[in-house]
Amino acid sequence: GSDTPDSGSGEILLQRAYIEYSHNDLLNIQAGKFFTPAGLFMATHWRLLTPSYERPIYFENKTFYIPAHQVGLHYFGQHEFDNSGWGTRCDAWWTLGAANEGTDNSETDFNNPGANVRMNYRDWLSFGMAYQGLKATADFDRNQDSVLAFAQLRLFQERLVLSSEYVTTRLDPAFGNTNALENVAAVYVGAEYKFASKWSIYYRYDVGDDIKRSGASAPTDETNSKAVINTLALSWEPNAGTKISVEYNNYDFEEAEDYSKFMVYIGQFF
């Protein structure tokens, strides 16, 4: 289904649906619709599984950075290096579709190659890089190349988790706009501390080109989409599958009007 259904029309949006073949740790294949296996946030972006309700800039601006879903083929494999504590996981995907998530009714086709390489040291260190391409057919002259670098450090028996991701995208050209920016970029740094068995506090600092929340229709020289977002969340998980959080967000834009918001949300797995 479309990500932007017509007003008043009922529609079911399919998040994931795929078949998977697993031969061994090094050879696994998925075919269908799957979460983009890039970086730290993409693969587990459901809000019940993330430390905050608000999402990073690059995720909220998927059109200009990396799409959240893919429709096509996905290879993945992992390997542990003897008793050294080091391990690696590699993902590669090639998706075909009418849009970068392959689920709308556009007549324009895109070829979307991507890859992700992650290194792990025991249970406390992960880092790596990912690439996502978007190659349009001749009837719609748009090409994108995104690179994502990420790192995560888990300390004190994973009570303290430090995470960061940096994404930059080359737009060549962007939507046929002669004033379009050639590059957009976003980065965040986050820290989550579990100070009790069922309680955690989380802070994240985001900065970058936030086209969506700044109100710009496209990243151009005429519309400054730079934003700084501060997020603070306190979460309580009284039992497995239940999460109650209070969260404060502050949005600081270079051109658009600044604002803040406070929310309380409750989630339940079934």
Side-chain angles (χ1 to χ4, degrees):
S2 168
D3 284 331
T4 56
D6 295 335
S7 177
S9 63
E11 189 165 347
I12 296 176
L13 300 181
L14 190 64
Q15 289 285 313
R16 295 187 296 174
Y18 57 83
I19 58 173
E20 180 175 323
Y21 168 74
S22 296
H23 181 69
N24 53 37
D25 286 345
L26 294 174
L27 179 59
N28 302 272
I29 302 292
Q30 290 179 345
K33 184 174 184 178
F34 48 90
F35 291 162
T36 303
L40 303 171
F41 189 85
M42 282 287 183
T44 56
H45 64 256
W46 283 326
R47 286 186 163 109
L48 277 175
L49 301 178
T50 58
S52 68
Y53 188 88
E54 185 61 278
R55 290 160 165 169
I57 288 175
Y58 84 85
F59 187 89
E60 288 295 330
N61 293 264
K62 298 182 287 292
T63 301
F64 307 102
Y65 291 101
I66 297 176
H69 305 85
Q70 307 285 339
V71 178
L73 295 175
H74 170 213
Y75 157 81
F76 63 97
Q78 58 188 15
H79 177 69
E80 302 292 332
F81 297 100
D82 298 326
N83 297 319
S84 66
W86 286 96
T88 186
R89 171 173 167 140
C90 297
D91 295 79
W93 57 94
W94 189 283
T95 65
L96 302 173
N100 56 357
E101 296 193 15
T103 55
D104 72 3
N105 297 317
S106 168
E107 296 181 357
T108 301
D109 288 327
F110 291 93
N111 298 321
N112 308 320
N116 184 84
V117 178
R118 179 197 303 260
M119 294 295 298
N120 302 299
Y121 182 70
R122 302 193 186 279
D123 293 328
W124 61 271
L125 176 64
S126 299
F127 61 91
M129 295 191 71
Y131 166 79
Q132 174 72 64
L134 187 150
K135 310 299 180 184
T137 52
D139 62 321
F140 187 68
D141 190 14
R142 176 185 169 196
N143 295 280
Q144 292 182 197
D145 294 286
S146 299
V147 176
L148 182 154
F150 60 91
Q152 186 174 79
L153 191 60
R154 298 176 291 276
L155 302 172
F156 310 118
Q157 298 180 329
E158 300 192 26
R159 291 180 63 189
L160 177 63
V161 181
L162 307 175
S163 305
S164 182
E165 292 185 287
Y166 170 77
V167 189
T168 181
T169 299
R170 180 183 65 87
L171 306 170
D172 180 32
F175 312 102
N177 191 325
T178 57
N179 295 321
L181 297 176
E182 293 183 359
N183 297 87
V184 293
V187 62
Y188 77 81
V189 178
E192 181 182 20
Y193 180 60
K194 297 180 180 179
F195 59 90
S197 61
K198 299 180 179 181
W199 289 87
S200 64
I201 189 169
Y202 176 71
Y203 171 76
R204 189 178 69 242
Y205 175 84
D206 286 88
V207 60
D209 294 292
D210 192 339
I211 298 90
K212 177 181 176 181
R213 282 176 289 214
S214 68
S217 59
T220 69
D221 293 331
E222 300 170 347
T223 55
N224 191 329
S225 58
K226 298 292 184 183
V228 173
I229 303 172
N230 289 278
T231 296
L232 182 63
L234 177 66
S235 298
W236 176 47
E237 299 182 23
N239 52 59
T242 302
K243 184 176 182 179
I244 303 172
S245 298
V246 293
E247 181 169 320
Y248 171 79
N249 310 109
N250 176 261
Y251 304 84
D252 185 0
F253 302 100
E254 288 197 10
E255 289 193 358
E257 183 177 356
D258 302 339
Y259 65 95
S260 300
K261 70 180 181 183
F262 177 83
M263 70 177 76
V264 178
Y265 65 98
I266 301 173
Q268 176 68 57
F269 281 115
F270 295 100

